[in-house]
């Protein structure tokens, strides 16, 4: 017979384990309580026997064995139930008084079996029980035995056993019920995760795991899996978009390459004609290779392997160097490049990639602004980290296009007449993400302002 599924769950096994541990601890507690309580009860019985024996011994010393016999008879004749049994024997062992049959004259403590004949004393509901007896030899040679029934002690011990048995049974039952309930709930949530993963494997990347909002481990697992699925879906959508964009952007240079070669084969009649066709073919091939090179570089950065090259670097020095280098380039283009860089600001990152990031931003600003425009770079520190800006006073980018420009191969209509393949800002976004930096576009009134927030920094 196959074991029920909920019994095989980790939660049920853990519940069973804890129930077993609790049962073991209950058994230990029971042993301690039973031993201590039983010892106290037996000690009380012994003290009561010693007290009764001392009272009768005192009476014997003052009045003699005759009056002791009368005292025992008087106590037995008392209308209230007597907790004690007595046996007074003379020096020869002949019974004188008491309600116990003739006993061996053994001094000290002993237990008398329930078969010993006894007169009326304690009335019990379950018949006679063993007696605990104390025997003493009196100064006149007579022998006195005082005994009491252990019925109440036994009943108290039985009550303790029953109480712990019921408590342990109820606890184990509740533990099993709780284990089954927890297991069923655990299985429902695991089934939800399995259902979602099966849907994802079937290609439904939009499906997500439903979380209960409890904030427990399964909720955290569900949220992490959902975040992972969001990332996977984004990558898949990006891959689909990139595939379409590659097909679109490579079609032009490859088609031009093919057309040029066909024309050269059909129409070229001289060496210069062939050389011109070959030169144009090389240009088209370089364009295609540059596209593949840009894609491979972005893929390498997205893999995260470049994080192994992260070191503490002086971002202030890097940006100041770039500003000085490109100020001459801007001047040649009839533009102005300004800089405002606070010194001594450090980040942890890859120098080569960060250099490429700011080079792309500065070159984009210089390429897409008219003659006479001003381009600026700045670096400062705020309460959250370091803020780096590259801005200009050119035509800017419409706000509706701010998110689109970071897509691979995406180009604004106004930029299609300028050189480029639409991978520059995609590379900027990838490098920023690798360095855990957020990137934002804003209107510079006029122009465009690109802001990077570095959250990890080193003190100057």
């Amino acid at each position: 017979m196959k074991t029920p599924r909920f019994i095989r769950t980790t939660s049920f096994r853990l519940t069973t384990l804890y129930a077993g541990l609790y049962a073991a601890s209950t058994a230990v507690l029971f042993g301690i309580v039973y031993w201590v309580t039983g010892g106290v009860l037996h000690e009380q019985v012994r003290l009561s026997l010693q007290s009764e024996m001392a009272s009768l011994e005192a009476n014997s010393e003052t009045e003699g064995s005759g009056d002791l016999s009368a005292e025992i008879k008087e106590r037995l004749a008392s209308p209230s139930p007597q907790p004690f049994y007595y046996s007074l024997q003379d020096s020869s062992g002949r019974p004188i008084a008491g309600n116990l049959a003739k006993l061996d004259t053994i001094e000290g403590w002993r237990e008398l079996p329930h078969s010993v004949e006894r007169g009326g004393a304690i009335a019990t509901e379950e018949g006679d029980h063993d007696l605990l007896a104390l025997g003493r030899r009196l100064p006149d040679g007579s022998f006195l035995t005082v005994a009491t029934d252990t019925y109440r002690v036994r009943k108290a011990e039985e009550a303790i056993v029953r109480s712990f048995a019921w408590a342990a049974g109820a606890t184990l039952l509740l533990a099993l019920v709780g284990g089954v309930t927890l297991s069923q709930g655990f299985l429902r949530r695991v089934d939800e995760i399995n259902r979602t993963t099966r849907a994802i494997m079937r290609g439904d990347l939009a499906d997500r795991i439903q979380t209960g909002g409890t904030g427990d481990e399964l909720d955290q697992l569900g949220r992490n899996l959902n975040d992972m699925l969001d990332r996977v879906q984004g990558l898949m959508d990006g891959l689909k978009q990139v595939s379409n964009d590659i097909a679109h952007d490579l079609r032009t240079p490859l088609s031009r390459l093919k057309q040029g070669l066909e024309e050269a084969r059909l129409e070229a009649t001289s060496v210069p004609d062939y050389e011109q066709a070959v030169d144009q073919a090389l240009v088209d091939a370089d364009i295609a290779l540059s596209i593949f090179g840009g894609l491979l570089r972005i893929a390498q950065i997205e893999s995260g392997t470049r994080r192994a090259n992260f070191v503490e670097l002086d971002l202030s020095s890097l940006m100041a160097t770039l500003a000085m280098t490109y100020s001459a380039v801007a001047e040649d283009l009839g533009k102005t490049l300004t800089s405002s860089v606070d010194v001594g600001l450090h980040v942890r990152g890859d120098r080569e990639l960060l250099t490429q990031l700011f080079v792309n931003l500065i070159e984009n600003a210089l390429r897409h602004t008219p003659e006479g425009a001003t381009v600026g770079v700045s670096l400062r520190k705020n309460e959250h980290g370091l803020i780096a800006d590259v801005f200009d006073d050119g035509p800017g980018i419409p706000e509706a296009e701010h998110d689109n420009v970071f897509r691979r191969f995406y180009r604004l209509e106004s930029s299609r007449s300028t050189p480029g393949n639409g991978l520059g800002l995609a590379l900027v976004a990838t490098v920023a993400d690798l360095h855990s930096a957020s990137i934002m576009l804003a209107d510079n009134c006029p122009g465009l302002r690109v802001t990077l927030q570095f959250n990890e920094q080193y003190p100057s």
Side-chain angles (χ1 to χ4, degrees), residues 85-101:
Y85 295 91
Y86 305 96
S87 174
L88 180 62
Q89 300 169 266
D90 61 17
S91 57
S92 62
R94 183 176 59 86
I96 301 174
N99 54 355
L100 290 174

Side-chain angles (χ1 to χ4, degrees), residues 119-441:
I122 302 175
T124 65
E125 297 177 358
E126 301 181 11
D128 295 333
H129 293 72
D130 293 344
L131 301 179
L132 180 63
L134 177 61
R136 293 279 176 82
R137 178 71 66 179
L138 301 179
D140 62 359
S142 59
F143 193 87
L144 176 63
T145 301
V146 180
T148 188
D149 201 322
T150 58
Y151 169 76
R152 288 187 174 86
V153 175
R154 302 302 180 196
K155 290 296 289 184
E157 291 174 342
E158 290 173 4
I160 294 173
V161 173
R162 283 196 301 272
S163 299
F164 273 91
W166 279 106
T171 301
L172 289 175
L173 178 62
L174 290 175
L176 291 176
V177 172
V180 171
T181 303
L182 289 174
S183 298
Q184 296 290 359
F186 180 80
L187 284 176
R188 283 193 296 271
R189 300 176 71 179
V190 170
D191 287 341
E192 171 65 17
I193 295 175
N194 289 332
R195 181 198 62 78
T196 303
T197 54
R198 285 193 295 268
I200 296 297
M201 288 187 289
R202 289 194 300 267
D204 184 7
L205 296 180
D207 203 352
R208 293 294 181 269
I209 298 169
Q210 298 296 324
T211 57
T214 58
D216 59 10
E217 294 84 355
L218 286 179
D219 259 11
Q220 294 176 11
L221 174 62
R223 286 196 296 269
N224 289 337
L225 288 176
N226 286 339
D227 292 342
M228 180 190 70
L229 293 175
D230 289 340
R231 178 68 171 169
V232 169
Q233 185 178 18
L235 292 175
M236 294 299 293
D237 292 341
L239 179 61
K240 184 184 300 183
Q241 182 65 40
V242 166
S243 300
N244 294 334
D245 292 339
I246 289 176
H248 180 272
D249 282 65
L250 285 179
R251 182 169 55 190
T252 299
L254 292 178
S255 297
R256 194 165 52 239
L257 174 62
K258 179 182 178 182
Q259 182 180 0
L261 292 175
E262 288 178 344
E263 289 178 354
R265 186 179 66 177
L266 296 174
E267 300 177 5
T269 58
S270 63
V271 173
D273 290 341
Y274 281 108
E275 288 178 347
Q276 182 180 359
V278 170
D279 290 341
Q280 184 59 46
L282 290 174
V283 171
D284 292 334
D286 286 339
I287 293 174
L289 289 173
S290 68
I291 292 175
F292 280 115
L295 289 173
L296 290 173
R297 186 168 180 81
I298 291 174
Q300 180 191 34
I301 296 171
E302 286 181 337
S303 69
T305 56
R306 295 296 293 264
R307 284 196 178 93
N309 298 328
F310 277 20
V311 295
E312 180 185 353
L313 58 90
D314 188 341
L315 189 60
S316 299
S317 175
L318 185 152
M319 292 193 66
T321 300
L322 291 177
M324 182 178 62
T325 301
Y326 277 92
S327 61
V329 176
E331 186 177 349
D332 291 340
L333 296 173
K335 304 173 185 181
T336 303
L337 192 146
T338 64
S339 64
S340 173
V341 177
D342 293 347
V343 298
L345 300 181
H346 294 70
V347 295
R348 183 174 179 80
D350 186 305
R351 177 179 292 275
E352 178 185 352
L353 293 181
L354 289 175
T355 300
Q356 185 67 58
L357 180 150
F358 288 109
V359 164
N360 284 7
L361 291 176
I362 294 172
E363 288 184 349
N364 272 354
L366 292 174
R367 182 183 303 119
H368 299 294
T369 53
E371 187 175 352
T374 299
V375 175
V377 296
S378 68
L379 178 66
R380 65 189 186 280
K381 180 179 179 181
N382 67 4
E383 65 273 14
H384 302 295
L386 303 184
I387 298 291
D389 293 295
V390 177
F391 52 91
D392 60 68
D393 56 3
I397 297 176
E399 185 175 354
E401 300 284 0
H402 282 182
D403 292 331
N404 294 329
V405 295
F406 293 109
R407 288 165 43 192
R408 299 171 194 181
F409 301 111
Y410 188 85
R411 304 189 73 192
L412 298 175
E413 289 298 327
S414 59
S415 303
R416 293 194 178 275
S417 59
T418 60
N421 53 28
L423 294 176
L425 287 180
L427 179 64
V428 167
T430 304
V431 174
D433 183 65
L434 183 70
H435 289 79
S436 301
S438 58
I439 183 169
M440 296 161 286
L441 301 184

Side-chain angles (χ1 to χ4, degrees), residues 9-40:
T9 62
T10 302
S11 58
F12 185 84
R13 291 176 181 175
L14 287 175
T15 303
T16 305
L17 173 62
Y18 286 126
L21 292 175
Y22 179 81
S25 63
T26 301
V28 173
L29 179 62
F30 161 75
I32 295 173
V33 171
Y34 186 86
W35 176 68
V36 172
T37 305
V40 171

